[in-house]
Amino acid sequence: MNYENEIRRRRTFAIISHPDAGKTTLTEKFLLYGGAIQSAGSVKGKQGDRHATSDWMEIEKKRGISVTSSVLQFEYDGYCVNILDTPGHQDFSEDTYRTLMAADSAVMVIDAAKGIEPQTRKLFRVCALRGIPIFTFINKLDREARDPFDLLDELEKEFGIGTYPVNWPIGCGRDFRGVFDRQKRCVEVFDEFHRGRERLQAIECDLTDVEKMDGLIGPYARKNLTEQVELLDAASYEFDIEQVRKGKLSPVFFGSALNNFGVETFLQNFLKMSPSPLPHLSEGVEIDPVEEGFSAFVFKIQANMNKAHRDRIAFFRICSGKFERGREYRHVRSGKNVKLSQPQQMMAQEREVIDEAYAGDIIGVFDPGIYSIGDTVCEVGREIRYAGIPTFAPEHFAVVEQIDSMKRKQFAKGMEQIAEEGAIRIFLEPGMGMERVTVGVVGVLQFDVLEFRMESEYGVKYRRSDLPHTLIRYLPEGVDPTTLKLMQSTRRVTDLKGRNLLIFTADYEIRWAEEKNPGLSLIEFDQVT
Ligand code: G4P
């Protein structure tokens, strides 16, 4: 098949980290090494002046964060690389999780002084659930850092995975001398005046060539490095690509994204070790990315990306074959044929209309309101149905009430449309309609986004009262919630399909409900689609 090479050379990964670990800086360095941008600092400017490429929503600019996940594509060494950026702020949303569903591997950026942080933990769990390969970049070695052996130990113990350091830091902070590539046996030597403006040159060296090594990094660092590398060679995990592919062994890279250390070593090794587009399951059957015709699923829907056009974009991850602009494809859920119009891709910082794309790529297409998260689009005549994207239970709740009865319609429309995108969930209160609803979100920032969007896109202001509730469960079908014994704080709601749910403030409240209502077995939110 003529597009086999195109597919095989694609690498689609998500980059994840706790805020401030250096994800944006590293992404920028990838683009710099890939030649997609000319100078560092163009993805993200100085403090207070961030230009992350996905900053298209005003709220993002105002708060200096990127609310949505963006996709960037660049070429490196014959590979076509798609980076799925996940929002890098304290908050969390379903969007972040869904982005991971569209990736074939993940790069986890860790601050060498801090080790594993709460967001890293959450994101890691989702990656582990999917069993995708996870690569680790331990960043900021130019600052005081924790002992590298300790950091590896923490990764292994906390995540239950093996680690394979591909390179090794030579000191840290004031004593940082660079990084040593264990396979190539070469060093990238630190030059404090360089500050990441140029690509680094790796210098080949032999650790036993004492004179040369001392000249490069000094006798003290040379001695330490030699000892540590000996220890590693003897005691660390063997490299096993099968284990990497299963997500059981994480190749680890040490470096300093800001100063370009470890960036090239990372790119070269990552591209070799990470998988080309993986097969996806359609009703239990694996769809081969190369053998099959075009197929893709929607993993994200975003409204009003361009305020001038009030558009709505559905993001597709292409799972197999080749996409051609202008051709008709089958939207499987509705059984209708569609033309994916205005297909676009993010090439570095530019949004471009494209004529073709291949398995592994992410395309955004104009959505006239027909797509839902998880929908499959494929060749006419096929009935591919990709496994649904898992839903995640909201963890924060608020009652949202319209205050202007003249705008009742806009309120209901705005809430429903934004809910359709999947960023929020709406629940109805007993005996109430859409004028007063309970909203559930995965990350609290979504409340701000909702308020901002309702006002700017639908011209509606509302009153919001936050609830102390954090847990939600479905009731089994046929159980009448009014007959249940519940604690006073437990709230009864229904979803838009009329199914009954309960919202709780804490675990003990759930236990109470199950104990006081013998035979009642509540259903986890994510078990219901
Ligand atoms: P994030 O996307 O994961 O949130 O992190 P980001 O890249 O924005 O980096 C957070 C801060 O850490 C930035 O500093 C960035 O310059 C710094 N940083 C990233 N990599 C390194 C590194 O290797 N060494 C050191 N020393 N610092 C690093 P900032 O002060 O918030 O922004 P800025 O003024 O530098 O732009």
Side-chain angles (χ1 to χ4, degrees), residues 17-26 44-47 50 88 139-143 195 255-259:
S17 78
H18 191 85
D20 270 349
K23 187 163 60 72
T24 315
T25 312
L26 188 62
K44 186 178 82 73
K46 284 275 152 259
Q47 220 162 16
R50 289 184 170 217
N139 192 27
K140 303 198 190 181
L141 264 302
D142 58 314
R143 293 216 185 131
R195 299 291 291 170
S256 164
L258 192 64
N259 297 291

Side-chain angles (χ1 to χ4, degrees), residues 54 56 60 66-71 84-87 93-102 297-303 305 312-317 346 351 362-365 367 371-375 389 420-423:
S54 61
W56 48 264
E60 296 185 323
S66 77
V67 176
T68 49
S69 312
S70 65
V71 188
L84 293 153
D85 186 17
T86 51
S93 70
E94 283 204 57
D95 202 30
T96 312
Y97 290 126
R98 290 205 196 102
T99 297
L100 294 174
M101 301 297 141
F297 68 85
V298 180
F299 70 97
K300 175 170 124 157
I301 291 175
Q302 190 77 55
M305 286 189 71
R312 196 164 121 133
I313 305 278
F315 286 88
F316 285 83
R317 149 80 200 221
M346 292 283 287
R351 196 173 289 275
I362 309 295
I363 53 171
V365 307
D367 175 16
Y371 301 117
S372 297
I373 306 277
D375 280 2
I389 294 198
E420 262 173 38
E421 285 172 31

